[in-house]
Amino acid sequence: MSKYILPSLIVLLLLYSVVRKNNTYNSFVIGAKSSFDLILTSFPYIATIFVAVEIFNVSGLSVLFSDFVAPVFEFLGIPKQLSELVILKNFTGCGSLALLENIFETYGADSYLARAGCVIAGCSEAIFYVTAVYFGKTKVTKFRYAVIVGVLANLIGAIVGCFVCRFI
């Protein structure tokens, strides 16, 4: 059933366009052209966050920082083995997936740590990446509270996720 939803929506959109007598092809070309502007304006922000994440990982700061905050996380119910995942997920989705894969290999895919890691990876967002891309495009320069709220939401999601995974 779900494989028919997207083609149906496309057909309905084309029919709607014909009924409204819009030039569908021209509208598509204009939309595609404006996407290049989006790419050009957001690329510097994306490149900057990628470089910052790579420096954070390669320098070993992510491990040092996760070891530093691990006691606080353990007090909140997040296992020490997942502290680096909780921190890294705020910066990058791909890097956190690599950590999650390592958790699977080390502790097993059905372990508590793997389940909790999946919940953390699934219920959180790469806040700094999203901030760089979306706020860069909209020219918002004062996003301090958005980052704080996003990071706190990720932390609360990790705490609740670890708590729930203890019982399933």
Side-chain angles (χ1 to χ4, degrees):
M1 176 73 179
S2 63
K3 63 182 175 181
Y4 299 113
I5 292 175
L6 188 58
S8 299
L9 287 175
I10 292 171
V11 168
L12 288 173
L13 181 64
L14 289 173
L15 288 174
Y16 177 76
S17 180
V18 168
V19 169
R20 299 277 316 233
K21 297 183 176 140
N22 290 336
N23 186 343
T24 307
Y25 181 75
N26 190 37
S27 298
F28 177 80
V29 170
I30 290 170
K33 182 180 176 186
S34 67
S35 69
F36 287 115
D37 294 336
L38 173 65
I39 291 169
L40 291 176
T41 57
S42 60
F43 180 75
Y45 299 100
I46 295 170
T48 302
I49 199 69
F50 281 156
V51 169
V53 167
E54 191 63 24
I55 290 171
F56 187 63
N57 285 334
V58 171
S59 68
L61 284 175
S62 65
V63 175
L64 289 173
F65 188 66
S66 67
D67 288 343
F68 178 73
V69 297
V72 175
F73 283 0
E74 284 185 307
F75 176 77
L76 295 173
I78 301 171
K80 179 181 180 181
Q81 298 89 338
L82 299 178
S83 62
E84 189 176 4
L85 176 65
V86 172
I87 293 167
L88 196 60
K89 181 60 180 175
N90 290 303
F91 294 97
T92 173
C94 294
S96 61
L97 288 177
L99 283 176
L100 188 59
E101 182 180 356
N102 188 28
I103 290 169
F104 290 161
E105 291 173 1
T106 306
Y107 302 102
D110 291 333
S111 67
Y112 162 70
L113 291 173
R115 290 191 317 269
C118 286
V119 171
I120 290 168
C123 75
S124 57
E125 185 58 66
I127 299 300
F128 292 97
Y129 173 78
V130 170
T131 301
V133 172
Y134 294 118
F135 288 160
K137 174 60 180 163
T138 59
K139 307 289 190 245
V140 173
T141 58
K142 296 181 182 180
F143 49 82
R144 178 179 64 199
Y145 297 115
V147 171
I148 293 169
V149 169
V151 170
L152 283 175
N154 280 355
L155 181 60
I156 291 169
I159 293 167
V160 171
C162 289
F163 178 77
V164 170
C165 285
R166 287 195 193 281
F167 301 107
I168 55 173

